[in-house]
Amino acid sequence: MSDPLSEVIRLLSPKAIYSKGISGAGRWAVRYAEFGQPGFCAVTEGRCRLAVDGEAPVILEEGDFVLLPATPAFTMSGLEPAPVARIDPTTVPPPDGEVRHGRAEGPPDVRQFGGYFAFASPDAGLLVSLLPRMIHIRGVPRLTQLVSLVGEEATRDDIGRDLILERLVEILLVEALRAAPLEEARPGLLRGLADSRIAIALRQMHGDVERPWTVPELARAAGMSRSAFFDRFVRTVGVRPMEYLLSWRMALAKNMLRGGGMALDEVARRIGYGSASTFSTAFSRHVGLPPGRFTRSAA
């Protein structure tokens, strides 16, 4: 059976990992501008406060893990009020050693390991929109261990480093997403996969993308009436079934076209179109470029 979550993560192609140790003591607060790239942190000691724009503030404690798939602006601080220092991660060069906030001397009140990476896929915006805006997980030691492994590997200069980092980050993402508290997740892929009926339809679409699916066929596969399935899909995933299928097909098509060496009619066949011309029309409408021009611009 197809695993839509793993397929989405593979297509996102996480790369370019940067990680650092962060600590804070006394009164401190930092405000990070919107970054857009996925960021993460694992608290290894103490407590601090995290306020992500658009989300309720949370107290992070030892053992907590946070993933922000598209890192919006946020404020991190100690537990006492303090003047806010503003940081723009797009212009500030990465520090060489551990970042220290607040009192420079003495033991820290909180210590964490955090960082960010990039999604190589040009469809990252579309795919990330299917994920929760903020994932806060407690009591999963595997995530802290994975973050530590990512940090250790990122500082090495050995052969195979980039490949190992890619695999570690893929594992980190899968672990974080499947451990996410789904009752708090907004409509998206995770909510859909947590719904036993909708998950059947999602796996069918991913597992047989060539098939000319219709809403009635997907509803039958899920064991529901057409109208009940349609409403439930929109409510849990956040988009209409055929809209989701089209977006996934076009993401796959773009990935094939960027690879080069595949005839247009073969790309069309692999994602469920009967002819290259029908596919070209749909691709141009969805992407804004005909397939040939897209391939040349990607190259």
Side-chain angles (χ1 to χ4, degrees), residues 2-15:
S2 176
D3 180 0
L5 181 59
S6 296
E7 290 181 352
V8 166
I9 289 174
R10 270 195 295 269
L11 205 62
L12 282 169
S13 301
K15 299 181 186 301

Side-chain angles (χ1 to χ4, degrees), residues 17-20 22 35 38-42 71 113-117 147:
I17 299 94
Y18 162 71
S19 54
K20 61 186 181 296
I22 305 167
F35 185 50
F40 61 90
C41 79
T71 310
F113 198 84
Y116 61 84
F117 46 92
V147 170

